[in-house]
């Protein structure tokens, strides 16, 4: 579907719904306005007869169990002996049984088998039904150590290659099945309209036509074509997500409200779903977000009347992480409304026991009609049968050479090369293969940085190169290309050199992030702390031709960095195969073919910059992309961001020896502060010394930390104690506080303390409006140094002191 087709579709809707009606504003859809689709291959008489016979054997308790999904962090195989659950999942940082969260395939296969053994063991009053095991395989099977990691969807959108998407889906399906997992929570079919949204990179494009062209291809890649489904063939169930409007929330706020007319919801945000359904997607995931104030998890007009009715979807609708609990009148453990709205399976990661009990009670009371329960369970059993889960063989679990195979990595390397977009080139590219190349930047030899979020952990943080066996950093790829061409490549993250290089390739950009913590309030890169720009300026002053390789999950305002670069490449988050960058930059054997699937801003405040909208004025338009065959000139750009840089920071309170705006550090009279060295940097820490009772506190604008608290984020402090406390030391956030004196008294050297936000909430903190995210109060002498203080997602070692 091209852009012209999109305009025609929108115009066709003008007469009925171009302006928001009263029902639009109330979040009520009109099914007749929506496109029709059909689920091929899911429903056939023989399968339906088997399901009917099986339903007749199931108790109400077993039926309700099929409708509940629990996370590995909160459920054990033995739990299934009492609770007949239908599904388990591994959340972004949830580990397999008895192993670290960063584990290769073996522990994951063992975990799947441990749960499946209990589910399939005959016992009185129990009908053996296999489990659906879901995981966020969103750019490859990205939770598994050693897996092939592809560019995130924003990069794949720039490739404009549906056949490549199909092949990526096939690889992802095989590597997921080979780890004992049968359900991939993807593809994401969001059409992001506000680049402040932290999940922008999960969308293929701002253009619904691109999303529509990819949807069916990815579904077919993951699942195979209808008639060729089954885990025995190396296929897994797909889950088109997040239905609906997740990319259109007001101000780009994750889980927010999409305030648009029904016509816009159809033409823009629904663009990928008909193709996904027509390709046979077995599941659709409901969105956290709302449409005009109505939470999607509770919107019957969209889940039942439109998706299952008008659009003919015969698979199952699964919820998102406790998303049902956000419906007014519901809690995480009690929500008949979500099932009555059309949800078939609730994702209740840590709330599953309570939700099972309350849903069973609602079913017995008739609050959830038996017909609705039977429909939900029929859809779940239908997917399990079509996926081959009732057939015992799992041949792909024995294929030890599948995950991270050379063949799969070649597909990912191709995807990297095709995703790169050349924004500027003043003749420095391609780099001669025999050149003396300086490779600089803090991300040049960091596979975790180039892989982005949803990589071995939820937010993609806490990773090292050792976590990626078989992968190639961007530097390693450049070094190999240079060696092959008779040149040299020298790694120098800070850009220093003794022998003047022929060219510098500087790799820098955003740090990994995922939903929620990825939301930003300005599109300025490194707002208020231009560390990368400083590196580029030093190279420019030294007369070294410079190529910038920019890693990001969205288009960002980088005018100053563009001005200091002789060439500038948007590399997105390319994944595990960094050599794909060198394939295009070095030697000139392969040209750039990538074109922007998102418009690039000329100002840091151009949040909603989408082609075809009023006032459209980008720096680089949708579809822009230079090449060696299609050169172009970029004039010197203005360097006024047009928005307050301090707006960028909502989670970093101290780093590199200073308190970043908009936060401030204040101390009481009994506390002195002075600069001191951190473990790595001269005067990179602050030393706080208590002579008596007093408080050191960070203050700033009020922060709403409800989502962060529910998402298990922590206050993270990197510290070293010089004089241990002899009395209580209270660490406070908002109005809640915990005593960290025992922790500060234990151990020496630089250490990391992580305290979950929910600990402060449980101690009385109002996490809806936190003006002081950190306060440390001592009543006796204490001296400690702090080198880093922030909100963080890494759960390793998190404690909740009394």
């Amino acid at each position: 579907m091209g852009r012209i087709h999109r305009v025609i579709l929108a115009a066709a809707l003008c007469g009925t719904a171009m302006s928001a009606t009263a029902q639009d504003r109330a979040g009520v859809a009109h099914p007749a306005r929506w496109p029709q689709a059909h689920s091929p291959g899911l429903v056939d008489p023989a399968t339906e007869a088997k399901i009917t016979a099986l339903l007749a054997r199931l108790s109400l308790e077993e039926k309700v169990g099929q409708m509940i999904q629990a996370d590995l962090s909160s459920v054990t195989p033995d739990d299934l002996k009492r609770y007949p659950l239908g599904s388990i999942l591994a959340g972004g940082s949830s580990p397999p049984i008895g192993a670290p969260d960063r584990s290769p395939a073996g522990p994951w296969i063992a975990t799947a088998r441990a749960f499946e053994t209990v589910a399939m063991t005959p016992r009185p009053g129990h009908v053996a039904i296999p489990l659906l095991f879901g995981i966020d395989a969103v750019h490859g099977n990205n939770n598994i150590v050693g897996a092939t990691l592809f560019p995130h969807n924003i990069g794949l959108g720039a490739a404009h290659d549906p056949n490549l998407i199909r092949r990526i889906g096939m690889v992802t399906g095989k590597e997921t099945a080979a780890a004992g997992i049968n359900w991939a929570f993807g593809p994401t079919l969001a059409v992001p309209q506000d680049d402040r949204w932290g999940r922008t990179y999960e969308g293929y494009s701002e253009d619904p036509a691109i999303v529509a062209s990819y949807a069916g291809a990815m579904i077919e890649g993951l699942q195979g074509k209808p008639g060729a489904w089954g885990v025995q063939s190396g296929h897994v169930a797909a889950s088109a997500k997040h239905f609906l409007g997740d990319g259109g929330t007001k101000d780009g706020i994750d889980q927010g409200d999409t305030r648009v007319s029904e016509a816009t919801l159809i033409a823009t945000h629904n663009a990928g779903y008909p193709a996904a359904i027509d390709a046979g997607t077995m599941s659709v995931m409901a969105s956290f977000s709302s449409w005009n104030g109505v939470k999607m998890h509770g919107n019957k007009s969209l889940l039942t009347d439109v998706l299952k009715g008008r659009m003919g979807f015969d698979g199952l609708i699964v919820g998102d992480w406790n998303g049902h609990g956000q419906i007014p009148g519901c809690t995480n453990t009690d929500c008949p409304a979500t099932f009555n709205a059309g949800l078939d399976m609730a994702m209740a990661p840590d709330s599953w026991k309570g939700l099972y009990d309350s849903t069973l009670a609602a079913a017995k009371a008739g609050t959830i009609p038996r017909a609705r329960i039977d429909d939900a369970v029929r859809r779940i059993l239908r997917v399990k049968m079509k996926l081959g889960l009732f057939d015992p063989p799992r041949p792909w679990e024995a294929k030890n050479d599948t995950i991270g195979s050379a063949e799969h990595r070649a597909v990912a390397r191709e995807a990297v090369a095709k995703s790169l977009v050349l924004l500027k080139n003043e003749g420095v590219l391609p780099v001669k293969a025999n050149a003396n190349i300086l490779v600089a930047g803090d991300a040049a030899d960091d596979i975790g940085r180039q892989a982005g979020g949803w990589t071995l952990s939820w937010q993609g943080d806490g990773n090292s190169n050792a976590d990626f066996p078989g992968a190639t950093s961007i530097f390693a790829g450049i070094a190999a290309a240079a060696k092959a061409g008779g040149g040299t490549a020298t790694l120098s993250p800070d850009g220093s050199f003794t022998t003047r290089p022929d060219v510098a390739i500087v790799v820098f950009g955003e740090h990994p992030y995922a939903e929620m913590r990825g939301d930003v309030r300005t599109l300025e890169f490194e707002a208020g702390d231009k560390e990368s720009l400083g590196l580029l300026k030093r190279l420019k002053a030294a007369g070294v031709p410079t190529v910038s390789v920019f890693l990001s999950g969205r288009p960002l305002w980088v005018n100053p960095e563009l001005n200091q670069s002789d060439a500038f490449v948007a590399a997105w988050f390319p994944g595990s195969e960094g050599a794909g960058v060198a394939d295009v930059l070095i030697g000139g054997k392969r040209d750039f073919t990538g074109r922007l699937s998102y418009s690039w801003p000329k100002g840091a405040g151009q949040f909603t910059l989408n082609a075809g909208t009023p006032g459209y004025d980008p720096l680089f338009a949708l579809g822009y992309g230079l090449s060696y065959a299609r050169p172009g000139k970029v004039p010197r750009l203005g360097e006024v961001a047009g928005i307050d840089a301090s707006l960028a920071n909502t989670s970093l309170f101290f780093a590199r020896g200073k308190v970043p705006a908009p936060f401030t550090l204040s101390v009481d009279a009994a506390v002195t502060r002075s600069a001191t060295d951190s473990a790595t940097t001269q005067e990179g820490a602050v030393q706080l010394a208590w002579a008596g009772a007093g408080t050191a506190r960070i203050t700033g604008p009020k922060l709403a930390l409800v989502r962060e608290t529910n998402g298990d984020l922590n206050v993270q402090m990197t510290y070293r104690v010089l004089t241990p406390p002899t009395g209580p030391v209270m660490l406070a956030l908002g109005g809640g506080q915990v005593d960290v004196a025992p922790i500060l008294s234990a151990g020496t050297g630089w250490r990391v303390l992580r305290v979950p936000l929910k600990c402060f909430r449980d101690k009385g903190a109002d996490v809806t409006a936190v003006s002081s995210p950190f306060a440390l109060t001592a009543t006796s002498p204490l001296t400690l140094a702090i080198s880093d203080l922030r909100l963080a997602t890494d759960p390793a070692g998190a404690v909740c002191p009394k």
Side-chain angles (χ1 to χ4, degrees):
M1 182 172 71
R3 210 172 305 136
I4 293 176
H5 188 175
R6 181 178 53 165
V7 172
I8 293 172
L9 174 60
L13 293 166
C14 273
T16 57
M18 183 54 72
S19 60
T21 66
Q23 283 191 314
D24 284 348
R25 291 190 294 271
V28 177
H30 303 78
R33 299 176 181 174
W34 291 69
Q36 291 182 298
H38 171 66
S39 289
L42 280 173
V43 175
D44 65 78
T47 301
E48 296 306 301
K50 291 179 181 177
I51 296 171
T52 298
L54 187 54
L55 281 170
R57 296 171 56 203
L58 295 178
S59 66
L60 182 60
E61 288 77 6
E62 289 173 303
K63 290 178 180 179
V64 169
Q66 288 295 304
M67 298 163 66
I68 307 294
Q69 182 184 62
D71 184 71
L72 291 183
S73 63
S74 300
V75 68
T76 67
D78 280 347
D79 286 327
L80 300 189
K81 295 176 181 178
R82 178 181 175 187
Y83 297 92
L85 303 183
S87 179
I88 57 173
L89 81 148
S93 295
S94 298
I97 297 172
D101 59 337
R102 293 167 176 82
S103 289
W108 293 101
I109 294 172
T111 296
R113 290 175 177 173
F115 279 96
E116 190 74 358
T117 296
V118 177
M120 297 302 290
T121 298
R123 53 187 179 273
H126 168 70
V127 178
I129 299 177
L131 293 167
L132 280 166
F133 185 176
I135 201 165
D136 284 287
V138 296
H139 65 127
N141 192 8
N142 43 263
N143 274 357
I144 310 301
V145 168
T148 305
L149 302 179
F150 295 93
H152 273 291
N153 287 351
I154 189 171
L156 298 182
H160 297 269
D161 189 343
N163 181 58
L164 173 64
I165 299 306
R166 183 177 289 103
R167 288 187 287 134
I168 288 172
M170 291 175 63
V171 171
T172 302
K174 290 176 181 178
E175 295 203 7
T176 303
I181 300 164
N182 53 44
W183 190 5
F185 295 146
T188 298
L189 300 181
V191 186
Q193 300 293 286
D194 190 319
D195 294 340
R196 289 174 291 184
W197 187 38
R199 305 189 79 161
T200 294
Y201 66 83
E202 295 188 54
Y204 295 115
S205 178
E206 73 187 42
D207 184 350
I210 294 174
V211 176
S213 73
Y214 278 11
M218 182 56 82
I219 297 296
E220 287 185 358
L222 288 167
Q223 294 187 173
K225 289 183 177 292
W229 292 333
V231 291
Q232 293 78 14
S233 302
H235 297 306
V236 297
S239 188
K241 66 181 187 182
H242 306 85
F243 190 84
L244 188 63
D246 50 344
T249 59
K250 186 179 186 302
D251 298 331
I253 295 173
D254 189 51
Q255 305 182 21
D257 190 13
T258 298
R259 303 175 187 177
V260 299
S261 69
E262 186 172 7
T264 298
L265 195 68
I266 295 169
T268 299
H269 300 288
N270 190 58
Y273 287 92
I277 294 168
D278 286 341
T281 187
M282 293 184 180
S283 70
V284 171
M285 184 179 290
S287 179
F288 277 120
S289 59
S290 305
W291 175 45
N292 292 336
V294 179
K295 280 291 179 182
M296 280 304 311
H297 277 67
N299 194 319
K300 184 176 184 294
S301 71
L302 285 169
L303 296 182
T304 297
D305 301 340
V306 168
L307 182 56
K308 293 180 175 178
R310 177 69 172 179
M311 293 203 293
F313 175 60
D314 292 327
L316 72 91
I317 301 177
V318 64
D320 208 338
W321 192 275
N322 280 330
H324 56 275
Q326 297 184 11
I327 300 172
C330 286
T331 66
N332 290 351
T333 56
D334 188 2
C335 192
T338 196
F339 297 111
N340 286 335
L343 202 76
D344 300 307
M345 180 184 290
M347 186 184 291
D350 55 355
S351 58
W352 59 270
K353 283 185 181 179
L355 188 63
Y356 172 85
D357 290 339
S358 67
T359 303
L360 179 59
K364 290 180 176 178
T367 307
I368 306 174
R370 295 295 176 96
R372 171 77 272 270
I373 291 171
D374 284 350
D375 173 63
V377 179
R378 176 176 291 275
R379 290 170 177 272
I380 294 165
L381 296 176
R382 182 182 293 151
V383 168
K384 292 182 177 184
M385 288 186 180
K386 291 296 182 179
L387 196 54
L389 300 188
F390 283 88
D391 302 321
R394 297 291 186 271
W396 284 84
E397 294 177 9
K399 295 180 182 290
N400 298 326
D401 58 349
T402 297
I403 294 177
S405 71
E407 178 186 1
H408 291 176
R409 292 189 184 279
V411 177
R413 183 169 175 171
E414 175 190 348
V416 173
K418 288 183 173 180
S419 71
L420 303 177
V421 179
L422 181 61
L423 300 183
K424 177 182 179 179
N425 186 19
E426 300 293 343
V428 68
L429 288 176
V431 174
K432 292 180 180 179
N434 63 355
N436 172 24
I437 306 169
L438 178 73
V439 185
D442 61 356
D445 194 32
D446 191 329
I447 298 169
R449 283 285 297 279
Q450 70 191 43
W454 293 110
T455 301
L456 300 183
S457 66
W458 175 32
Q459 299 284 326
D461 53 2
N463 296 319
S464 70
N465 283 2
D467 295 317
F468 300 97
T472 306
S473 72
I474 293 173
F475 164 70
I478 293 170
K483 182 178 180 181
T488 63
T490 303
L491 179 65
S492 175
D494 66 359
S496 60
F497 56 85
T498 54
T499 302
R500 187 179 183 279
D502 298 320
V503 64
I505 298 176
V506 184
V507 187
F508 64 98
E510 290 189 293
H511 288 260
Y513 55 83
E515 57 189 306
M516 188 172 59
R517 289 317 303 161
D519 289 359
V520 296
R521 297 192 292 176
T522 174
L523 297 183
E524 181 179 359
F525 172 63
E526 288 188 342
D529 185 11
K530 297 292 188 182
E531 185 176 357
S532 300
L533 180 62
L535 170 56
L536 295 174
K537 285 183 175 180
R538 292 194 298 274
L539 291 167
K540 187 85 165 179
V544 179
T546 301
V547 178
S548 287
V549 176
F550 185 59
L551 307 181
S552 74
R554 62 191 124 215
L556 289 171
W557 185 76
V558 288
N559 285 16
E561 290 81 6
L562 277 160
N563 285 338
Q564 295 298 320
S565 305
D566 298 290
F568 197 99
V569 178
W572 317 111
F573 287 128
S576 62
E577 305 311 303
V581 175
D583 289 342
V584 184
L585 268 60
I586 311 296
K589 294 181 180 179
R590 181 165 194 157
D591 203 349
F592 286 88
T593 58
R595 292 174 287 115
L596 292 178
S597 61
Y598 288 80
S599 305
W600 201 279
K602 64 170 52 174
Q606 288 182 300
F607 308 133
T608 54
L609 183 65
N610 302 299
T613 57
Y616 181 66
D617 184 27
L619 178 62
F620 303 120
L622 181 74
Y624 174 91
L626 303 177
S627 68
Y628 303 142
R630 301 188 313 274
K633 297 288 291 184
V634 177
R636 183 168 181 83
L637 305 170
E639 297 193 0
V640 178
I643 192 168
D644 183 358
S646 69
L647 292 175
N649 182 28
T650 60
S651 61
L652 182 62
F653 312 129
F654 187 89
R656 295 195 290 272
K658 61 183 179 180
V659 179
F663 300 100
T664 59
L665 171 63
S666 61
V667 297
D668 290 346
V671 185
T672 59
R673 57 182 288 189
S674 58
T676 189
D677 295 345
S678 70
T680 58
T681 307
Q682 184 177 8
E683 295 193 352
V686 61
Q687 181 170 301
L688 301 173
W690 279 258
T695 300
R697 63 179 62 82
I698 297 286
T699 55
K702 289 184 178 180
L703 302 175
L705 299 178
V706 176
R707 293 179 302 155
E708 289 81 353
T709 303
N710 293 337
D712 291 331
L713 268 68
N714 312 301
V715 172
Q716 176 178 290
M717 179 176 72
T718 303
Y719 70 97
R720 179 168 67 99
V721 175
L722 290 84
T723 303
T726 58
V729 179
M730 307 307 295
L731 173 62
L733 177 143
Q737 59 182 3
V738 294
D739 185 3
V740 295
I743 297 171
L744 299 183
S745 299
T748 59
W750 288 98
R751 302 164 62 84
V752 177
L753 170 65
R754 297 185 179 98
V755 180
L757 294 178
K758 61 185 178 184
C759 297
F760 299 103
R761 178 198 61 194
D762 294 345
K763 294 289 186 178
D766 178 8
V767 294
T768 66
V770 176
S771 57
S772 177
F774 173 87
L776 200 64
T777 301
T779 58
S780 60
L782 165 69
T783 305
L784 81 164
I786 298 174
S787 64
D788 192 270
L789 182 63
R790 66 181 67 212
L791 297 183
T793 58
D794 189 348
V799 295
C800 195
K802 295 182 179 179

